[in-house]
Amino acid sequence: VARFGGHCTGFLVPAAMLALPPVRTSTAENELNAVGAQLLKTSPGSSYAETLRQLLRSYASDGWLSIERASEVADTSVRTMQRRLKSEQTTYSKVVEHTRAEIAGDLLENTDATISEIARQLGYEYQGDFTRAFRRWAGVSPSAFRQQRRAPFA
């Protein structure tokens, strides 16, 4: 079983999804929303927040989704999303922050992208804002994190 954000050599696709015609019309966004909603309903995530993080990761390259847009993609209301997250003692902004922290760690550890590039990719206008947020998440600066993770084992 493949989990989003993990490493795998393959994954299973339900036959029903393979039978769907290719998306070539202006309704592509509506169909993408339907796929996002289906992902949120059937994902192997261990919690609603985890499943939402998987959804956010899949959209991260297009910019960060507002809670309104995320609820649209998930085919639910903002209020329902908030209630589900509250039942897990979290909020949408905390889920977004956790997702950004995960992606930042992955990028720092596994790419040669500059800290400034990573900051922009995560939606930060200023590198300093990203650095402060990363220090809050990891307890060290992004450059120190990268150096620690890339240091050879002694």
Side-chain angles (χ1 to χ4, degrees):
V1 173
R3 291 199 184 261
F4 290 93
H7 300 287
C8 70
T9 58
F11 57 93
L12 297 174
V13 177
M17 288 186 79
L18 293 174
L20 295 173
V23 178
R24 295 187 184 136
T25 66
S26 61
T27 61
E29 186 169 342
N30 290 338
E31 292 184 24
L32 184 60
N33 290 348
V35 170
Q38 188 64 23
L39 171 68
L40 202 55
K41 290 175 185 171
T42 62
S43 170
S46 59
S47 67
Y48 187 79
E50 176 60 30
T51 303
L52 184 55
R53 273 193 290 280
Q54 293 171 2
L55 181 72
L56 290 172
R57 283 183 77 101
S58 70
Y59 279 82
S61 63
D62 298 330
W64 291 95
L65 300 178
S66 66
I67 190 170
E68 292 80 14
R69 183 72 179 111
S71 67
E72 247 178 64
V73 170
D75 194 30
T76 189
S77 69
V78 170
R79 186 66 192 119
T80 297
M81 182 176 282
Q82 289 171 328
R83 273 195 307 274
R84 287 180 179 167
L85 291 171
K86 185 177 181 180
S87 74
E88 295 178 11
Q89 290 83 42
T90 193
T91 64
Y92 183 75
S93 61
K94 287 179 184 175
V95 171
V96 168
E97 187 169 356
H98 186 265
T99 306
R100 280 181 165 162
E102 286 178 340
I103 293 171
D106 289 347
L107 293 173
L108 288 166
E109 191 171 353
N110 301 312
T111 73
D112 290 325
T114 66
I115 293 171
S116 182
E117 290 169 343
I118 292 171
R120 277 193 302 280
Q121 186 173 342
L122 293 174
Y124 290 92
E125 189 173 347
Y126 301 106
Q127 180 180 331
D129 293 340
F130 166 67
T131 299
R132 279 187 292 284
F134 192 87
R135 204 180 287 274
R136 189 176 63 247
W137 302 329
V140 296
S141 70
S143 56
F145 179 88
R146 177 174 268 170
Q147 188 175 16
Q148 289 170 359
R149 293 299 174 110
R150 290 192 174 178
F153 296 108

